[in-house]
Amino acid sequence: MQNSPKPGRRNFLKLATAASGGLLLGFNWVESEAATSVVVDISTTVPASDVDFNSYLSINPQGIITIFSPNPEVGQGIKTAFPIIVAEELDADWKKVVVEQAPLDTKKFERQVAGGSGSIPHSWQRLRKAGATARQMLIEAASKRWNVPLSECTTENGFVLHTSSNRRLGYGELAADASKLAVPTDVKLKDTKDFKLIGTTVKNVDNPKIITGKPIFGLDFYREGMLFAMLQRPAFGYKLKSLDAKAAKAMSGIVDVVTFDNNVAVVGKSTWQVKKAKDALKIEWEKADVLESTADHNRLFKEMLDASTATVRRKDGNVETAFKNAAKVVKAEYQCPFLPHNPLEPMNFFAHVRADGAELVGPTQTPELARNETAKLLGISPEKVTVQLTRMGGGFGRRLKADYVIEAVQVSKLANAPVKVIWSREDDMTGGSYRPAVRYRFEAALDAQGNMIGYKLRGASINAGNSTREDNFPAGAVDNVLIDSVDHKSPITTGPWRAPITNFLAYAEQAFVDEVAQAAGKDPVQFRLELLDKAKQKPTGAVKYDVDRMKGVIELAAEKSGWGKKKGADGKLIAQGFSVYFSHRSYVAQVGEVVLQKGKPVIQKVYSAADCGVVINKSGAEQQVRGCIVDGIGHAMYGNITFKDGIPEQKNFNDYRLIRLNEIPEVEVHFVQNDIDPTGLGEPSLPPAGAAVANAIYKATGKRLRSQPFALQEEFKAIS
C-alpha cells in the first residue's frame, strides 16, 4: 500500500500515456469546486494526452486545464490563488480547472517558498504571462483553422469565439494545434477592469479533500515498509553524557536506537511503539553552555537598555537638543516573551536515503533549502535529491527551517531504511526556534503645541538581531530621531515567527503612539494623520512607506468603525482603540472595541482596513485577515514560554494558553480598492491587532498594558 500526496507531474504524464493501454485520466467534480483527478478503468476510449503550454499549465483534448501551483501550501491559500491568476489571463472556465501541487523543480520555477508574504508579489506578473501566453496561442490556432484575422477572434470561458460567423472552438479542441505554434514572447495582459475571476470569492481547491479527510498532509503520508522515528533532544545548553537504551531496544516493534548530534532517535514499526520506547530511554545530560532562565532574561533586558553602547539603526536631526528643549517628555517600556509556533500539525518528514540519492516527502515552507541541506549532509549533488510537497497543517515560519528534515535524513541514513520522523506536541513546544523575546524603551519629546519633535527607540532582544524596523512610521515624520538596538546571543534557539519582529514591535510602537497622543491632548487618529502630513509635506530623512496608502487605511478604518462616535445600547460611547501598520509591503489599520461585562474587559469587535493592492481571491483574503487578527489577539493575551535553567516550563496545551472560540471577537474586513500590483497579505494583519485591543482596553479601563501576555499582567488581573 502506498498513500502518497497527489501524483507529481511525472506520474501524471505516465498515467496519461498508460491510457493507451486501457486507462484514462477521468475527473470527479464536486459541485462548483475545482475537479479532482482520478484514474478510471476503460478499454475503448481514445487516450487523452494533455499538452504542455508552459511550466504552469497544460490542456487536454477534453478541455480540462491542469494548472500547477509551485509554492508550498501552508494554509495561506496559495494553491488556489496562483491558479486563479493563470486562469484569469487564460480566460478559462474555472469549473474545468484542475489544480496540482508541483514538486520542487528549480529549473521550471522560481522562489518555491512560503514565507515573507512574498509569493503573490513575486509571481504576479509571471503567472499572468503564463496564462496570457497560452491564450494567445489558442487564439492563433483558431485563427488559422478558420482562416480569419487574429483581430476577429476573442475568448470567453474556455472557448475561442469568432462572433461574426457565430463559430466557436473549445480550448481542448485547439490544444494540439496550438502546441505546434511558436511561443509568443510578447503578449498583452488584461486590463484589471476586465478581470472576471480575480477579486471574486473562490472556494479553496483543497476543501473537498480536507472536509472528507483525504490524506494530503505530511502526517498522512505512508509508504509500505517505512519505519517511524521519534527523537529525544537535549534542552538548551546541554549535551548527551550517557545513554542506556537496553530496555527500549527490547520493546516490541523497536528496530534500533541511534544517536547523532546529541540526539537520541528510537526507530520502530509504529508511532506508538517508538513513543513508548522513547519514554523508556535512560539518558543523562550534562552542561555544555550557559543555562538561562527567564529571570536571567529580565536582568539582561535592563542591562541592554541601560548600556552605553548600541548599534545605531537610524539617526535624524539632533535628538539630545530636542529632548533638552521639550515641553513634555513621554517614556515607556514594552516587553514580549518567547513564543512557540504551535502549528496544528507538528513537525514531521519522510526521508529515504539510498545509494543513488535521497527522496524527501513532507511539509516544508522551503523545499529548496531542505534539498540543499540534505545534499550537503550526504555529500551528493542536489540533483540527486527529490522533494515532494504535502499540504501543511500550519507553519507560521517554523517550517522555514530544515532541521526536522535533516533529522529524518540522518535517521534514514543510520537505519539504512525509509524513515518518517514525527515530533510530538511536547517535542514541538520544547524544541526551540521560538519567536525571540524583546524589550523596547520608547521616549518622545513634545513641544508646547503637542507636536512630536523628538523620538527615541531602543530594542533589547535575545537572538533577534535587529529588533527594530528603523524606517517604519513615525520615522520620517519626526525631525529628531534615534533608533538603536542591542542583542544577546543565547543557547535558546529562535527563528521567524509570523510577521517576524513586527508581530510585537507594531503593538509596542502603536500603543506608545497612543500614549504620546494622549500626552499631546490629541485624538489618536488625528495625531497619526498629522504626523503623516508632516512626512508628506516636510519629511525628515528617508520615508520608506507610502504616506497616502497609510492615510487611506486609517481613514477607511475610522469611517467603517464610526471612530469616536459609535455608541452602545446604553447610549454611551464604545471604548475603541486604534492601530495602523506597514509590513510586507501592505498597509493595515484596525479598530478594536472593548466592553466591560461585570467589570471584566471583553473584546467585542475588530474592524480592519487593508491595502494589499489587487485582491486575488476575496474569500481567501478575508480569511487571511481574520486569521491574523485572531492569532495576534490570542498571543498578545495569552502566549508565553518561560525557562528554568535552559528547560522550557510549558510543554503542552495544558499549561500553554491559547485563545478560545468563545473569546474570538467579531471581525469586519474591508479592502482599499485600487489597481496596485498585489502586495503581501499572509502576515500584515497580525502586527496591528495587539495594539488595537490594548488601546481599547485602556480606553475602557484606564489601564495601560505594556507587556505580553496581557492576561498575566498585574494591571489586567486588577480589572478582570
Side-chain angles (χ1 to χ4, degrees):
M1 174 184 177
Q2 178 170 323
N3 184 4
S4 68
K6 287 301 301 176
R9 175 68 184 151
R10 189 175 174 185
N11 288 335
F12 186 87
L13 291 176
K14 282 182 178 178
L15 293 171
T17 303
S20 59
L23 290 177
L24 172 67
L25 282 175
F27 298 89
N28 176 28
W29 306 99
V30 181
E31 297 180 349
S32 61
E33 302 286 2
T36 302
S37 60
V38 296
V39 178
V40 295
D41 185 10
I42 65 169
S43 57
T44 58
T45 308
V46 175
S49 58
D50 52 346
V51 177
D52 286 333
F53 281 84
N54 49 54
S55 299
Y56 294 96
L57 69 94
S58 63
I59 302 173
N60 78 2
Q62 287 71 43
I64 301 301
I65 300 166
T66 301
I67 299 179
F68 283 82
S69 182
N71 281 36
E73 173 59 67
V74 68
Q76 80 279 42
I78 204 70
K79 194 175 174 183
T80 305
F82 268 16
I84 286 175
I85 300 169
V86 177
E88 175 67 71
E89 289 290 350
L90 182 60
D91 245 351
D93 180 355
W94 183 249
K95 292 179 181 178
K96 292 187 177 180
V97 170
V98 177
V99 179
E100 298 281 3
Q101 175 67 61
L104 175 67
D105 190 333
T106 51
K107 293 180 180 176
K108 288 184 175 179
F109 306 111
E110 298 176 350
R111 197 188 180 279
Q112 286 185 272
V113 173
S117 298
S119 296
I120 293 288
H122 172 270
S123 300
W124 170 245
Q125 293 294 334
R126 291 172 176 80
L127 295 165
R128 294 185 69 187
K129 188 175 181 181
T133 299
R135 176 173 172 271
Q136 179 63 30
M137 294 169 73
L138 291 162
I139 290 175
E140 190 174 340
S143 168
K144 291 181 180 298
R145 179 121 27 124
W146 291 327
N147 194 27
V148 298
L150 278 173
S151 59
E152 294 182 7
C153 297
T154 59
T155 58
E156 184 178 82
N157 215 26
F159 288 89
V160 180
L161 311 177
H162 187 247
T163 306
S164 61
S165 63
N166 197 30
R167 287 181 290 183
R168 70 175 192 170
L169 287 168
Y171 286 176
E173 300 173 86
L174 294 165
D177 287 353
S179 68
K180 298 169 186 173
L181 301 173
V183 177
T185 56
D186 185 22
V187 295
K188 183 180 180 181
L189 303 180
K190 283 185 175 181
D191 192 306
T192 56
K193 67 178 175 54
D194 296 324
F195 286 165
K196 299 172 184 173
L197 189 59
I198 289 176
T200 65
T201 295
V202 180
K203 294 178 183 176
N204 188 304
V205 296
D206 276 341
N207 278 357
K209 296 173 186 173
I210 294 172
I211 292 169
T212 57
K214 293 292 187 297
I216 59 176
F217 296 95
L219 278 177
D220 297 324
F221 181 81
Y222 178 75
R223 171 74 53 80
E224 186 69 33
M226 79 178 189
L227 300 175
F228 294 86
M230 296 188 79
L231 276 68
Q232 184 63 61
R233 304 166 185 84
F236 305 104
Y238 293 86
K239 66 179 181 179
L240 181 63
K241 181 179 181 182
S242 66
L243 167 67
D244 180 355
K246 185 176 180 181
K249 287 183 175 180
M251 296 176 74
S252 175
I254 300 306
V255 175
D256 203 355
V257 176
V258 298
T259 63
F260 62 93
D261 300 339
N262 290 309
N263 298 308
V264 181
V266 179
V267 187
K269 296 180 179 178
S270 77
T271 306
W272 182 245
Q273 288 172 322
V274 297
K275 167 70 171 61
K276 297 298 290 183
K278 177 187 168 188
D279 293 341
L281 292 173
K282 294 179 181 177
I283 303 175
E284 189 176 1
W285 308 101
E286 63 182 344
K287 181 180 175 183
D289 203 335
V290 177
L291 306 181
E292 295 183 354
S293 300
T294 296
D296 298 320
H297 298 150
N298 289 330
R299 173 181 52 79
L300 286 165
F301 283 142
K302 185 176 188 310
E303 291 174 0
M304 288 188 282
L305 289 176
D306 292 339
S308 58
T309 59
T311 302
V312 175
R313 304 293 178 179
R314 177 163 178 152
K315 188 173 184 181
D316 295 328
N318 189 327
V319 174
E320 290 72 22
T321 301
F323 277 81
K324 183 179 179 181
N325 297 331
K328 187 181 293 185
V329 172
V330 185
K331 295 182 180 179
E333 293 184 8
Y334 290 77
Q335 183 169 326
C336 71
F338 290 95
L339 291 180
H341 294 76
N342 283 332
L344 184 61
E345 177 191 22
M347 300 299 106
N348 66 88
F349 226 83
F350 168 87
H352 188 189
V353 178
R354 305 181 305 265
D356 61 343
E359 177 189 10
L360 306 177
V361 183
T364 170
Q365 293 177 248
T366 53
E368 187 175 1
L369 176 66
R371 183 191 68 174
N372 292 346
E373 290 288 313
T374 298
K376 182 180 178 182
L377 175 72
L378 299 177
I380 61 177
S381 165
E383 284 68 34
K384 292 186 176 181
V385 181
T386 63
V387 185
Q388 288 284 339
L389 306 179
T390 63
R391 188 181 175 93
M392 285 173 270
F396 315 114
R398 178 61 184 89
R399 289 187 165 98
L400 287 168
K401 288 189 171 181
D403 56 316
Y404 60 102
V405 180
I406 295 305
E407 286 182 350
V409 174
Q410 292 265 36
V411 178
S412 174
K413 181 182 177 184
L414 291 168
N416 193 27
V419 173
K420 182 175 179 179
V421 165
I422 296 177
W423 292 38
S424 66
R425 177 58 61 193
E426 288 82 359
D427 293 334
D428 203 48
M429 203 171 288
T430 61
S433 195
Y434 301 110
R435 190 273 298 272
V438 184
R439 188 172 181 88
Y440 293 108
R441 176 178 289 166
F442 294 90
E443 298 175 65
L446 297 172
D447 66 14
Q449 289 73 45
N451 300 309
M452 187 153 61
I453 57 173
Y455 177 73
K456 291 196 284 188
L457 164 62
R458 171 167 290 187
S461 58
I462 298 172
N463 283 352
N466 177 12
S467 57
T468 73
R469 290 295 178 267
E470 59 272 15
D471 294 322
N472 270 6
F473 177 82
V478 182
D479 289 338
N480 307 288
V481 170
L482 174 62
I483 298 174
D484 57 22
S485 66
V486 185
D487 190 48
H488 167 72
K489 300 303 179 189
S490 166
I492 297 172
T493 58
T494 61
W497 194 96
R498 196 174 191 179
I501 300 299
T502 60
N503 57 60
F504 178 77
L505 175 60
Y507 150 69
E509 287 180 344
Q510 288 295 303
F512 181 67
V513 167
D514 252 42
E515 291 198 55
V516 179
Q518 183 186 26
K522 297 181 179 180
D523 173 80
V525 170
Q526 191 58 39
F527 185 66
R528 288 171 172 84
L529 291 173
E530 288 178 6
L531 284 169
L532 288 168
D533 286 339
K534 167 71 168 52
K536 180 82 173 182
Q537 297 161 11
K538 193 179 178 183
T540 299
V543 178
K544 297 186 178 179
Y545 48 88
D546 188 309
V547 170
D548 293 333
R549 292 181 75 184
M550 186 171 278
K551 286 184 67 175
V553 294
I554 289 175
E555 290 165 351
L556 183 60
E559 174 200 340
K560 296 298 182 182
S561 66
W563 173 257
K565 300 175 184 175
K566 187 176 178 181
K567 296 180 180 179
D570 58 2
K572 297 180 179 178
L573 287 174
I574 290 179
Q576 294 179 312
F578 200 88
S579 180
V580 61
Y581 215 69
F582 164 60
S583 71
H584 301 87
R585 302 166 293 278
S586 291
Y587 300 79
V588 180
Q590 292 170 359
V591 175
E593 292 185 349
V594 167
V595 296
L596 292 178
Q597 294 180 359
K598 298 180 180 179
K600 179 181 178 180
V602 174
I603 307 166
Q604 184 172 259
K605 185 168 183 175
V606 175
Y607 293 88
S608 179
D611 181 350
C612 58
V614 173
V615 173
I616 309 300
N617 180 4
K618 188 177 178 183
S619 171
E622 290 181 348
Q623 297 315 318
Q624 281 295 306
V625 173
R626 290 193 173 95
C628 278
I629 290 172
V630 173
D631 204 8
I633 293 175
H635 284 95
M637 289 293 300
Y638 306 110
N640 190 35
I641 282 277
T642 57
F643 297 86
K644 179 64 175 177
D645 296 330
I647 300 173
E649 295 184 298
Q650 295 77 29
K651 295 178 172 58
N652 207 323
F653 293 129
N654 62 306
D655 51 18
Y656 185 92
R657 178 82 151 81
L658 292 175
I659 192 170
R660 295 167 181 158
L661 280 175
N662 65 351
E663 295 166 337
I664 294 175
E666 177 186 357
V667 177
E668 188 173 309
V669 181
H670 300 275
F671 293 100
V672 173
Q673 303 297 317
N674 58 40
D675 294 331
I676 298 171
D677 284 358
T679 49
L681 192 59
E683 294 164 279
S685 294
L686 188 150
V693 168
N695 290 338
I697 291 175
Y698 175 77
K699 187 71 73 67
T701 67
K703 301 292 184 182
R704 288 282 182 198
L705 299 173
R706 296 193 178 94
S707 292
Q708 293 180 358
F710 298 158
L712 295 183
Q713 304 312 306
E714 293 303 322
E715 294 86 351
F716 190 83
K717 291 178 181 177
I719 54 176
S720 61

